[in-house]
Amino acid sequence: MNARGTWSPDALAVRAAEAGTRADRILRASVDDLFLPDAARLGDRTRLTLHQMLRAMVAAIANDLRHQVAGQVGERGAAILTDHGRTFDRVVRAGTLRDDALIAEVIARVRQDLIGQALPIAVGSPDIPSLLVQLATSVDPGVAQAAQALLAADSRRRAALEQAQMTEADLPPALRPALVWSVAAAIRDGDDAEIDQALVAAAERRLATPFAGDGAEDAAMALARAVDARIAERAILLLDALGDRRLGLFIAVIAHGLRLSFGQVRAMTLEPDDDRLWLALRALELDRPVIARIGLALADADPARDIESLADQLDAIAAVSPAAARVALAPLALPDDFRRAIAALASASPTRPRGRDGEGAWR
């Protein structure tokens, strides 16, 4: 725009080119979205909550780094103390939030929380306390303490969901550095060696701080270990956990019973078409009626599940012996690196060894 407030030809050309590029980008994204299979499409609430949580996570890191830098360099750091609404967009453009492991973890947490919130409540009567309250008053001090810790952690998690908040402290340690450093780069404004050094120190301090997060997964696993449900108790405990809307405890009880990680069981529980969940329930020696009740509760909470398909498979699922189910799931208990190595070998093209055939010819 020139001094008289009109656009110059050059400026108009630049704006037209930018608008064309933006329109092309939006069109490509719309086409990609149009042909997404239904199984890969996020629900509207999941998408909204996910976006809000990612924004909150980036903002929390950025605000902490800015305040730390301000404390070191004073007014000279004022340039990076004002967000101007650019930090999140810069982190998105950098591609950090498109990291498969990072986004998979955040999506899993959001889906677990939303499905847990939507589970049908199945408390017997107003006079009967919920499962977790009963466990919190157990005569076993280990069980009582673990249940109280989960009550507190779940309360924090539910408050965070209502406010669409999440901190990178809730992420696995391996995922935190890339995100923190990306935010540090995004809040830079120009090249200033002193400010850069202050940012480095601030990011390193944040990464070195042993954040506790809300601890919901760890608390659920601790309670599952403390209860250590036997075969006869597992069905009741799993059904009560779902009826109490404690999906994390449901996952933890299965994980403890099969000696798998929370993340592995969470993945098979959240995926609507993952038959491994039914194998896991058979491996725990749950019978057909219990599996049907679990499937119905999850279907009520997650519209993506096909309850009719499960009904058609129930007889086949129940026919799988617990021993066979445990054998089928055994590879999950192997170390991650070992399983990846096995998968890499299995996916490699097999080479047929050269040798003599029956007639003595080389092949």
Side-chain angles (χ1 to χ4, degrees):
M1 186 176 290
N2 59 27
R4 291 181 296 176
T6 59
W7 292 104
S8 68
D10 288 344
L12 286 173
V14 169
R15 288 177 64 82
E18 289 176 346
T21 301
R22 185 166 58 252
D24 288 343
R25 188 167 60 246
I26 292 173
L27 176 61
R28 285 195 299 271
S30 298
V31 171
D32 290 342
D33 183 70
L34 176 64
F35 292 103
L36 269 179
D38 289 341
R41 195 178 300 277
L42 295 174
D44 290 341
R45 190 179 178 197
T46 301
R47 185 195 299 269
L48 175 61
T49 305
L50 180 65
H51 195 266
Q52 291 174 331
M53 280 190 168
L54 289 171
R55 276 192 174 275
M57 194 185 312
V58 169
I61 298 170
N63 290 338
D64 177 52
L65 297 183
R66 288 191 185 97
H67 282 90
Q68 288 195 57
V69 171
Q72 286 188 255
V73 300
E75 293 183 1
R76 294 194 60 253
I80 66 168
L81 296 182
T82 303
D83 184 6
H84 299 302
R86 298 175 300 181
T87 302
F88 182 76
D89 292 338
R90 285 178 171 180
V91 174
V92 170
R93 286 199 301 271
T96 306
L97 298 182
R98 293 181 181 272
D99 177 78
D100 288 348
L102 171 64
I103 204 67
E105 180 65 28
V106 181
I107 288 176
R109 166 166 168 164
V110 170
R111 292 201 66 230
Q112 178 191 328
D113 291 352
L114 292 178
I115 291 173
Q117 188 182 65
L119 284 168
I121 299 177
V123 178
S125 75
D127 298 328
I128 299 177
S130 69
L131 167 67
L132 215 49
V133 172
Q134 293 181 54
L135 294 175
T137 57
S138 169
V139 294
D140 183 326
V143 170
Q145 184 176 2
Q148 290 164 13
L150 182 55
L151 274 171
D154 268 2
S155 177
R156 292 191 294 270
R157 174 66 68 86
R158 291 178 181 188
L161 177 63
E162 290 174 2
Q163 300 169 19
Q165 292 182 346
M166 183 176 179
T167 170
E168 99 282 359
D170 297 322
L171 298 173
L175 299 179
R176 292 183 61 206
L179 181 58
V180 171
W181 288 117
S182 182
V183 174
I187 64 177
R188 292 177 74 246
D189 193 0
D191 295 325
D192 186 304
E194 185 180 5
I195 289 179
D196 281 348
Q197 288 303 312
L199 271 173
V200 168
E204 289 178 340
R205 276 194 296 272
R206 186 172 183 92
L207 289 171
T209 302
F211 288 104
D214 60 35
E217 283 79 13
D218 289 342
M221 288 299 296
L223 179 56
R225 287 190 295 269
V227 172
D228 195 20
R230 301 295 185 264
I231 292 174
E233 303 168 331
R234 285 173 182 154
I236 296 174
L237 185 56
L238 289 171
L239 289 171
D240 283 354
L242 291 180
D244 200 20
R245 289 182 169 175
R246 307 288 177 178
L247 187 58
L249 180 57
F250 172 85
I251 293 169
V253 170
I254 297 174
H256 174 68
L258 297 177
R259 301 301 184 263
L260 299 176
S261 72
F262 186 95
Q264 288 172 321
V265 178
R266 180 180 64 182
M268 65 178 73
T269 301
L270 297 182
E271 174 52 53
D273 299 321
D274 197 332
D275 292 334
R276 294 178 302 172
L277 175 61
W278 316 126
L279 285 175
L281 298 180
R282 286 300 294 142
L284 294 177
E285 304 188 27
L286 272 63
D287 60 21
R288 186 184 190 279
V290 172
I291 293 174
R293 290 176 63 185
I294 290 172
L296 181 60
L298 292 174
D300 281 346
D302 183 4
R305 289 184 178 273
D306 185 352
I307 190 61
E308 293 181 1
S309 176
L310 173 61
D312 292 339
Q313 298 179 62
L314 270 176
D315 288 337
I317 293 169
V320 177
S321 71
R326 285 191 287 269
V327 169
L329 295 173
L332 290 178
L334 299 174
D336 290 344
D337 289 340
F338 190 23
R339 287 192 296 110
R340 280 192 286 267
I342 292 173
L345 285 175
S347 63
S349 299
T351 55
R352 191 175 183 182
R354 294 180 61 84
R356 292 182 184 274
D357 60 21
E359 299 176 353
W362 288 96
R363 52 177 170 79

